[in-house]
């Protein structure tokens, strides 16, 4: 079955889909993106991702002539045309095509909009969660606006490659104070040695994860003790549990950090419960 992509108003074969060589996304990473998990063909955490998309676009002063409702139609149609039941849908908006020059183009240009969708094998995803994954720690090398979900992801790419070469699923960035900021494509969490669920606060230079926000709401609903407070790598290595959250990873237990095995090396009960409840809730609320 051939994949279909949406590019600037048209659905086209994925293999032939393209944008111009002077697209500012290609030349300057001048654009933003958003990713929704898809459950039963519908968008998980739909509103949160649309809100963040609007914020990211606003921060870069890119305006698109499409309402949220219109974008929703495009996302769902891309999901449908790719026969995705469970998986992910990716949306990217760049400032558009213009002769290469750093400042914004003088005249109005049309932003480029690309949407793709792919299936995820939920059986494999659940098996991976049941095993738990390894993360490595790497120095924080990113810019000061990680709250904007831009397509400028080179430090994240390098960190992920380092993780892959170390047999790990994710890399956690660590700032100059030895505090974990977040993962290369996820937010980082622990259940600390005292049993407190912790994830870094969003005053820090991190992405305001949509899954993170939903999981915090679930933690409150379940009556868990939690804090939005940074943790050190040492605290993480001595933690009872760790996990990551994101539209791709959902809630994914972490069982090793660098060479340290957490607890008995199996996913912890809090991470497992939050994963189950998150998936159940996200599936139920998907729109
Ligand atoms: N942090 C980074 C750097 C990310 O790239 C992502 C997701 O791609 C996340 C956190 C998790 O965000 P969300 O839960 O909104 O997918």
């Amino acid at each position: 079955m051939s994949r279909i992509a949406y590019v600037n108003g048209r659905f086209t074969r994925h293999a032939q889909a393209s944008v111009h060589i002077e697209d500012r996304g290609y030349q300057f990473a001048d654009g933003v993106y958003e990713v929704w998990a898809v459950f039963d063909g519908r968008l998980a955490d739909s509103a949160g991702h649309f809100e963040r998309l609007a914020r990211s676009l606003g921060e870069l002063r890119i305006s698109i002539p499409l309402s949220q409702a219109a974008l929703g139609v495009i996302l769902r149609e891309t999901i449908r045309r790719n026969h995705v039941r469970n998986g992910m849908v990716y949306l990217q908006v760049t400032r558009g095509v213009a002769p290469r020059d750093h400042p914004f183009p003088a005249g109005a240009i049309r932003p480029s909009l690309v949407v793709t969708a792919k299936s995820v094998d939920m059986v494999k995803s659940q098996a991976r969660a049941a095993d738990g994954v390894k993360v490595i720690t790497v120095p924080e090398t990113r810019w000061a606006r990680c709250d904007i979900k831009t397509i400028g992801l080179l430090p994240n790419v390098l960190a992920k490659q380092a993780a892959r070469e170390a047999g790990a699923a994710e890399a956690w960035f660590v700032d100059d104070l030895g505090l974990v900021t977040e993962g290369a494509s996820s937010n980082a969490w622990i259940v600390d040695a005292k049993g407190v669920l912790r994830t870094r606060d969003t005053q820090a230079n991190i992405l305001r994860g949509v899954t993170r926000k939903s999981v915090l709401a679930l933690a409150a609903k379940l009556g868990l003790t939690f804090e939005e407070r940074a943790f050190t790598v040492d605290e993480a290595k001595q933690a009872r549990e760790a996990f990551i959250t994101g539209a791709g990873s959902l809630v994914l237990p972490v069982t090793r950090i660098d060479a340290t095995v957490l607890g008995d090396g199996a996913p912890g009960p809090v991470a497992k419960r939050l994963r189950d409840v998150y998936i159940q809730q996200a599936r139920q609320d998907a729109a």
Side-chain angles (χ1 to χ4, degrees), residues 101-120:
D101 192 16
H102 288 67
F104 299 170
I109 58 166
R110 183 186 67 169
S112 302
L113 174 59
V114 168
V115 179
T116 57
K118 69 172 181 186
S119 296
V120 167

Side-chain angles (χ1 to χ4, degrees), residues 114-134:
V114 168
V115 179
T116 57
K118 69 172 181 186
S119 296
V120 167
D121 182 337
M122 280 308 279
V123 174
K124 274 195 195 147
S125 164
Q126 291 295 62
R128 194 157 97 118
D131 284 348
V133 297
K134 174 181 171 181

Side-chain angles (χ1 to χ4, degrees), residues 33-35 49 52 142 149 156 182-187 207-212 245-247:
Y33 73 108
E34 207 38 79
V35 180
H49 288 285
R52 189 173 60 194
R142 297 173 303 160
K149 198 164 170 67
N156 310 57
E182 63 182 325
S185 64
S186 60
N187 288 108
L207 188 73
R208 296 157 189 194
V210 175
T211 320
R212 174 191 177 282
T245 58

Side-chain angles (χ1 to χ4, degrees), residues 3 19 28 64 82 84 93 114 126 138 144 166 171 231 257:
R3 290 183 70 194
V19 292
F28 297 116
I64 47 172
N82 286 281
V84 173
V93 184
V114 168
Q126 291 295 62
V138 296
F231 50 84
I257 302 171

Side-chain angles (χ1 to χ4, degrees), residues 6-241:
Y6 173 92
V7 185
N8 293 328
R10 290 167 60 186
F11 288 97
T12 166
R13 286 167 73 99
H14 189 277
Q16 269 98 52
S18 61
V19 292
H20 193 270
I21 54 164
E22 283 197 312
D23 189 280
R24 290 179 60 94
Y26 180 59
Q27 296 197 321
F28 297 116
D30 186 1
V32 303
Y33 73 108
E34 207 38 79
V35 180
W36 288 255
V38 175
F39 290 116
D40 304 320
R42 293 177 299 152
L43 305 173
D45 284 324
S46 169
H49 288 285
F50 276 120
E51 262 166 45
R52 189 173 60 194
L53 173 65
R55 181 175 179 278
S56 297
L57 287 167
E59 291 297 314
L60 298 195
R61 291 195 272 152
I62 296 174
S63 58
I64 47 172
L66 288 168
S67 64
Q68 181 176 311
L71 287 177
V73 169
I74 294 166
L75 291 173
R76 289 183 189 89
E77 185 60 14
T78 309
I79 291 167
R80 194 187 69 76
R81 289 191 188 221
N82 286 281
H83 307 285
V84 173
R85 295 299 301 156
N86 298 306
M88 285 187 281
V89 62
Y90 174 90
L91 175 152
Q92 172 173 314
V93 184
T94 69
R95 197 174 305 281
V97 177
R100 189 180 185 281
D101 192 16
H102 288 67
F104 299 170
I109 58 166
R110 183 186 67 169
S112 302
L113 174 59
V114 168
V115 179
T116 57
K118 69 172 181 186
S119 296
V120 167
D121 182 337
M122 280 308 279
V123 174
K124 274 195 195 147
S125 164
Q126 291 295 62
R128 194 157 97 118
D131 284 348
V133 297
K134 174 181 171 181
V135 302
I136 59 164
T137 56
V138 296
E140 180 62 90
T141 50
R142 297 173 303 160
W143 73 327
R145 293 303 310 272
C146 294
D147 58 305
I148 309 172
K149 198 164 170 67
T150 79
I151 56 173
L153 290 172
L154 193 48
N156 310 57
V157 166
L158 296 177
K160 279 280 189 188
Q161 181 60 22
R164 176 169 291 176
E165 287 171 12
E170 180 59 301
W172 281 359
F173 290 114
V174 180
D175 69 16
D176 290 344
L177 301 172
L179 297 163
V180 174
T181 54
E182 63 182 325
S185 64
S186 60
N187 288 108
W189 300 67
I190 59 168
V191 177
D192 72 14
K194 291 186 180 143
V196 179
L197 177 63
R198 280 164 67 184
T199 191
R200 190 152 192 174
D201 64 277
T202 50
Q203 303 310 308
N205 182 33
I206 64 169
L207 188 73
R208 296 157 189 194
V210 175
T211 320
R212 174 191 177 282
K213 195 171 168 192
S214 294
V215 169
L216 280 174
L218 285 178
K221 203 164 138 188
L222 295 174
L224 302 177
T225 311
F226 64 89
E227 282 178 28
E228 291 181 67
R229 183 159 68 87
F231 50 84
T232 63
V233 175
D234 284 347
E235 281 179 301
K237 288 181 178 172
Q238 282 156 32
R240 293 186 192 173
E241 300 184 30

